Amino acid sequence: MKLGDGVEQALHCVLMLSGLPAGQVLAAPALAEFHGVSPSYLLKHLQALSNAGILQSVPGPRGGYRLARPAGRITLLDVVLAVEGPEPAFRCAEIRQNGPSPLAPRFFKKPCAINAAMLRAERAYREELRKVTLDMLASPPDSELGAAISARACGFFAQRARNAPPSPSH
Amino acid sequence: MKLGDGVEQALHCVLMLSGLPAGQVLAAPALAEFHGVSPSYLLKHLQALSNAGILQSVPGPRGGYRLARPAGRITLLDVVLAVEGPEPAFRCAEIRQNGPSPLAPRFFKKPCAINAAMLRAERAYREELRKVTLDMLASPPDSELGAAISARACGFFAQRARNAPPSPSH
DNA sequence: GTTAGGCTACTCGGATAGCCACTGTCCGAGTAAAGTGGG
DNA sequence: CCCACTTTACTCGGACAGTGGCTATCCGAGTAGCCTAAC
């Protein structure tokens, strides 16, 4: 049970993009520099987020990435599934069917109790992630931490954010 | 996010051992043959379960494995953690500290909101697995499926199970 | 017949190669802006 | 002065190697049972 490091990068990126002023985009190299990670590798995950419909990519010069829908409608589960893939962590190989005296095939229609329990646990995991939307993760601006984060992000936005078509599609 | 295949093997093995009559043990080759998996590889995970205190190993001829405590006191979480390791799936690398304008170190005392949310979700996952004990997974003996499973296991026990010291230690 | 000794065979335990997925990187297709020449 | 074209530079997108962990395997340490031989 191990999540790739790209998940954290993707989460921080979408969280940062959630604070971006409307009508502006941020390029992948800027995001990579801000987080101190490899631009090429981050681009890989940004593509996955774009393909999943979470981010919207604007090609060409002054292009970049932007949230495809409001932060309140993007959950942590969306981001994790987009990066890690939708398949569940526990995959039952049905080893009951192996061995010298396998059960009759008609018993295999329903998943075994072990598989059911594991999937139920993973369902709880995903449900917990589904409850959390991006706007919940922004630190309260009245706190010292929130103010510092906002200041850092705004300063970086003023330096690197670019204007782009307000809503090109849909 | 992916669990190793060994988890399923370990779960099926402990579930089978939970139905073993008291005072008997089952050897690793027998468990491997019953489930149709590699004996050497299964042995690796049985060792992990033994080191975790879930199974009890009896060395020598007529030796084998047995549950170290009643099935009602063994949870799925115990087995999963023994095989996969105790560290959480999401590890925050604190990439906030990277980049050109990192936050002040005093803000890093508390984990970021992302890390907190991910750990909370994983906590729910583990809590769900902790609720399920081995005796809950045994199919009800009055059902057709339960009867078939019991018959298969008992037949295999009569063929491969061996007597061993009733309770050597503790 | 009984018993002590040695032997054998079977078990678990840890240390050792092989392979796949994640990590990290590169170059190509596409596009908006800027520069340039002509009208 | 205005406009259309070319060039440029920057962006995203997909295809290509490197490495760590899971997969699979082997041989060694230890022990219970069995055989043998002496008493």
Side-chain angles (χ1 to χ4, degrees), chain A residues 27-39 42 156 159-160, chain B residues 98-101:
Chain A
L31 284 166
E33 181 187 347
F34 186 80
H35 292 105
V37 298
S38 171
L42 180 62
F156 195 78
Q159 190 179 359
R160 294 299 202 91
Chain B
N98 303 336
S101 62

Short mmCIF file of all heavy atoms in Angstrom, two decimals, chain A residues 27-39 42 156 159-160, chain B residues 98-101:
data_model
loop_
_atom_site.label_atom_id
_atom_site.label_comp_id
_atom_site.label_asym_id
_atom_site.label_seq_id
_atom_site.Cartn_x
_atom_site.Cartn_y
_atom_site.Cartn_z
N ALA A 27 1.59 28.43 -15.89
CA ALA A 27 2.26 27.42 -16.71
C ALA A 27 2.89 26.35 -15.83
O ALA A 27 3.18 26.58 -14.65
CB ALA A 27 3.33 28.07 -17.57
N ALA A 28 3.10 25.17 -16.43
CA ALA A 28 3.66 24.05 -15.68
C ALA A 28 5.06 24.37 -15.14
O ALA A 28 5.34 24.04 -13.98
CB ALA A 28 3.69 22.81 -16.56
N PRO A 29 5.95 25.01 -15.91
CA PRO A 29 7.26 25.33 -15.34
C PRO A 29 7.18 26.21 -14.10
O PRO A 29 7.97 26.05 -13.17
CB PRO A 29 7.97 26.04 -16.49
CG PRO A 29 7.31 25.53 -17.72
CD PRO A 29 5.89 25.32 -17.34
N ALA A 30 6.21 27.15 -14.09
CA ALA A 30 6.06 28.00 -12.92
C ALA A 30 5.63 27.18 -11.71
O ALA A 30 6.17 27.34 -10.61
CB ALA A 30 5.03 29.10 -13.21
N LEU A 31 4.66 26.30 -11.90
CA LEU A 31 4.22 25.44 -10.81
C LEU A 31 5.36 24.57 -10.29
O LEU A 31 5.52 24.37 -9.08
CB LEU A 31 3.07 24.55 -11.28
CG LEU A 31 1.71 25.22 -11.41
CD1 LEU A 31 0.76 24.34 -12.21
CD2 LEU A 31 1.13 25.52 -10.05
N ALA A 32 6.16 24.06 -11.22
CA ALA A 32 7.26 23.20 -10.81
C ALA A 32 8.30 23.98 -10.02
O ALA A 32 8.81 23.51 -9.00
CB ALA A 32 7.90 22.55 -12.05
N GLU A 33 8.60 25.18 -10.49
CA GLU A 33 9.59 25.99 -9.78
C GLU A 33 9.08 26.38 -8.40
O GLU A 33 9.84 26.37 -7.43
CB GLU A 33 9.90 27.25 -10.61
CG GLU A 33 10.94 28.14 -9.96
CD GLU A 33 11.09 29.45 -10.70
OE1 GLU A 33 10.58 29.56 -11.83
OE2 GLU A 33 11.71 30.38 -10.13
N PHE A 34 7.81 26.70 -8.32
CA PHE A 34 7.24 27.11 -7.04
C PHE A 34 7.33 25.98 -6.02
O PHE A 34 7.58 26.20 -4.84
CB PHE A 34 5.79 27.53 -7.23
CG PHE A 34 5.17 28.09 -6.00
CD1 PHE A 34 5.39 29.40 -5.63
CD2 PHE A 34 4.35 27.30 -5.19
CE1 PHE A 34 4.81 29.92 -4.48
CE2 PHE A 34 3.77 27.82 -4.05
CZ PHE A 34 3.99 29.13 -3.70
N HIS A 35 7.13 24.75 -6.48
CA HIS A 35 7.14 23.61 -5.56
C HIS A 35 8.48 22.91 -5.51
O HIS A 35 8.65 21.95 -4.76
CB HIS A 35 6.05 22.61 -5.96
CG HIS A 35 4.67 23.12 -5.75
ND1 HIS A 35 3.87 23.54 -6.80
CD2 HIS A 35 3.93 23.33 -4.63
CE1 HIS A 35 2.70 23.96 -6.33
NE2 HIS A 35 2.71 23.85 -5.02
N GLY A 36 9.41 23.36 -6.35
CA GLY A 36 10.75 22.76 -6.31
C GLY A 36 10.79 21.32 -6.78
O GLY A 36 11.51 20.50 -6.22
N VAL A 37 10.01 20.99 -7.81
CA VAL A 37 10.00 19.64 -8.33
C VAL A 37 10.38 19.67 -9.81
O VAL A 37 10.50 20.73 -10.42
CB VAL A 37 8.62 18.97 -8.16
CG1 VAL A 37 8.29 18.86 -6.68
CG2 VAL A 37 7.56 19.77 -8.89
N SER A 38 10.55 18.49 -10.38
CA SER A 38 10.96 18.39 -11.77
C SER A 38 9.83 18.83 -12.70
O SER A 38 8.71 18.31 -12.60
CB SER A 38 11.34 16.94 -12.09
OG SER A 38 11.53 16.79 -13.47
N PRO A 39 10.08 19.79 -13.59
CA PRO A 39 9.00 20.26 -14.48
C PRO A 39 8.47 19.16 -15.36
O PRO A 39 7.25 19.03 -15.55
CB PRO A 39 9.69 21.35 -15.31
CG PRO A 39 10.89 21.75 -14.53
CD PRO A 39 11.33 20.53 -13.80
N LEU A 42 6.29 16.74 -13.33
CA LEU A 42 5.03 17.36 -12.94
C LEU A 42 4.08 17.44 -14.13
O LEU A 42 2.87 17.23 -14.00
CB LEU A 42 5.29 18.75 -12.37
CG LEU A 42 4.05 19.51 -11.91
CD1 LEU A 42 3.34 18.76 -10.79
CD2 LEU A 42 4.40 20.91 -11.47
N PHE A 156 3.58 35.31 -6.08
CA PHE A 156 4.00 34.48 -7.20
C PHE A 156 3.06 34.66 -8.40
O PHE A 156 3.51 34.67 -9.54
CB PHE A 156 4.03 33.02 -6.77
CG PHE A 156 4.76 32.14 -7.73
CD1 PHE A 156 6.14 32.11 -7.74
CD2 PHE A 156 4.07 31.33 -8.62
CE1 PHE A 156 6.82 31.30 -8.62
CE2 PHE A 156 4.75 30.51 -9.50
CZ PHE A 156 6.13 30.49 -9.51
N GLN A 159 3.86 37.62 -10.37
CA GLN A 159 5.12 37.47 -11.11
C GLN A 159 4.96 36.54 -12.31
O GLN A 159 5.63 36.73 -13.33
CB GLN A 159 6.17 36.94 -10.14
CG GLN A 159 7.60 36.95 -10.68
CD GLN A 159 8.58 36.43 -9.63
OE1 GLN A 159 8.17 36.10 -8.52
NE2 GLN A 159 9.85 36.36 -9.99
N ARG A 160 4.13 35.51 -12.20
CA ARG A 160 4.10 34.46 -13.20
C ARG A 160 2.74 34.23 -13.86
O ARG A 160 2.69 33.62 -14.92
CB ARG A 160 4.54 33.13 -12.58
CG ARG A 160 5.99 33.13 -12.14
CD ARG A 160 6.93 33.35 -13.33
NE ARG A 160 8.26 32.87 -13.05
CZ ARG A 160 8.69 31.65 -13.31
NH1 ARG A 160 7.86 30.78 -13.88
NH2 ARG A 160 9.93 31.29 -13.02
N ASN B 98 10.08 23.71 -0.37
CA ASN B 98 10.91 23.90 -1.55
C ASN B 98 10.56 25.21 -2.24
O ASN B 98 9.77 25.99 -1.76
CB ASN B 98 10.72 22.74 -2.52
CG ASN B 98 11.03 21.42 -1.85
OD1 ASN B 98 11.78 21.38 -0.88
ND2 ASN B 98 10.45 20.36 -2.35
N GLY B 99 11.17 25.44 -3.36
CA GLY B 99 10.83 26.59 -4.18
C GLY B 99 11.60 27.85 -3.81
O GLY B 99 12.38 27.84 -2.86
N PRO B 100 11.34 28.91 -4.58
CA PRO B 100 12.13 30.13 -4.42
C PRO B 100 11.78 30.92 -3.16
O PRO B 100 12.64 31.56 -2.59
CB PRO B 100 11.77 30.93 -5.67
CG PRO B 100 10.42 30.43 -6.07
CD PRO B 100 10.35 29.00 -5.65
N SER B 101 10.50 30.82 -2.72
CA SER B 101 10.11 31.63 -1.56
C SER B 101 9.40 30.75 -0.54
O SER B 101 8.19 30.79 -0.41
CB SER B 101 9.17 32.75 -2.00
OG SER B 101 7.98 32.20 -2.55
#
